[in-house]
Amino acid sequence: MTSQFDAAVDLGLAREAAWRHRRIGVRLLVTTGFLAILWLSAARIHLSLTNVILGVPNMADFFGRMVPPDLSYLTSLLAPTIETIQIAVWGTVIAVIASAPLALLAARNTAPHPSIYFVTRLFLNLLRSINELIYALLLVSAVGLGPFPGVLAIALHATGMLAKFVAEEIEHVNRGPVEALQAAGAGRMQIILFGIMPQILPAVVGYILYRFDVSIRSATVLGLVGAGGLGFALI
């Protein structure tokens, strides 16, 4: 019996060692493949530290011509700067309003039906996948030049981002308060207002502020395609 037990233990240890060696081999293979893909990608896009070093004098000349800055342009940039901020503010406000119902439909625990959940998620993915500049190009041709297409472009992209972030927060809320409200006979809207919203509100405020910061940066370049703001001055 002892010899059979020792043989079984030795067999188990041998199998464990073989499995450990196999996992190490798989990891080495995956790592090697990943590094090979990175190397091929670098060659494909002509990634070269030498070109960066050789380009330092050109960059120094470019930035050197910015010193001293010509302050006479400041007066002409005041109005476009204000317009850029207005575009970002209204684009973010519209996105906040539009993302609220979409976030509820895109969360598993608040969506009325799984099909609505999947359709809403697909719609939000579509909104996020298109850059603000592309939206601005389409909307400028639709509603004309000016800041209004810039507002709509930022609102569309920001809606997709905010709704996705808020939906993720809704899905990870603590179930305790929600179940307590359900046990007390609360309706769906009461559960959302008093069981879910208090838990996600700090994170939602952070997402809104972050999105406003991104909208400010996006609004500065939308004028390159005719959507108002500082982009006209950049041209």
Side-chain angles (χ1 to χ4, degrees):
M1 289 294 295
T2 303
S3 60
Q4 292 178 352
F5 177 76
D6 292 339
V9 170
D10 292 339
L11 180 60
L13 292 175
R15 287 179 177 176
E16 183 178 354
W19 175 245
R20 188 182 303 112
H21 288 305
R22 186 180 303 174
R23 283 191 298 178
I24 293 174
V26 171
R27 290 174 181 174
L28 288 175
L29 182 62
V30 171
T31 303
T32 303
F34 180 70
L35 293 176
I37 292 173
L38 282 180
W39 181 265
L40 292 175
S41 300
R44 183 77 175 178
I45 62 176
H46 308 291
L47 194 67
S48 173
L49 182 61
T50 303
N51 291 340
V52 175
I53 296 173
L54 294 177
V56 168
N58 295 329
M59 290 188 288
D61 175 67
F62 181 83
F63 288 107
R65 285 183 280 125
M66 294 182 179
V67 180
D70 189 352
L71 300 180
S72 63
Y73 283 98
L74 289 179
T75 55
S76 62
L77 294 178
L78 180 60
T81 301
I82 295 174
E83 187 175 75
T84 297
I85 297 173
Q86 292 171 336
I87 292 172
V89 168
W90 270 106
T92 305
V93 168
I94 295 173
V96 170
I97 296 172
S99 63
L102 290 173
L104 294 173
L105 298 177
R108 292 182 184 272
N109 52 340
T110 56
H113 193 271
S115 61
I116 296 178
Y117 163 80
F118 286 112
V119 171
T120 307
R121 282 280 180 164
L122 183 63
F123 177 65
L124 295 180
N125 290 338
L126 177 64
L127 288 180
R128 294 198 312 274
S129 65
I130 302 176
N131 188 268
E132 291 98 332
L133 279 175
I134 305 301
Y135 279 129
L137 278 171
L138 296 174
L139 292 167
V140 163
S141 63
V143 302
L145 297 171
F148 182 52
V151 172
L152 296 179
I154 288 178
L156 286 171
H157 190 269
T159 297
M161 297 295 295
L162 281 177
K164 190 261 184 185
F165 290 152
V166 176
E168 295 291 340
E169 290 293 329
I170 293 174
E171 289 184 345
H172 292 89
V173 296
N174 184 4
R175 293 290 302 169
V178 175
E179 292 173 354
L181 287 170
Q182 289 174 340
R188 178 182 292 271
M189 188 56 63
Q190 291 174 317
I191 292 173
I192 292 172
L193 291 177
F194 302 109
I196 295 178
M197 285 301 299
Q199 298 187 60
I200 68 171
L201 190 58
V204 170
V205 172
Y207 291 141
I208 292 173
L209 293 176
Y210 167 73
R211 187 59 232 186
F212 176 67
D213 178 58
V214 174
S215 298
I216 287 284
R217 286 177 282 153
S218 299
T220 59
V221 297
L222 290 180
L224 293 172
V225 295
L230 283 169
F232 285 123
L234 291 176
I235 293 177

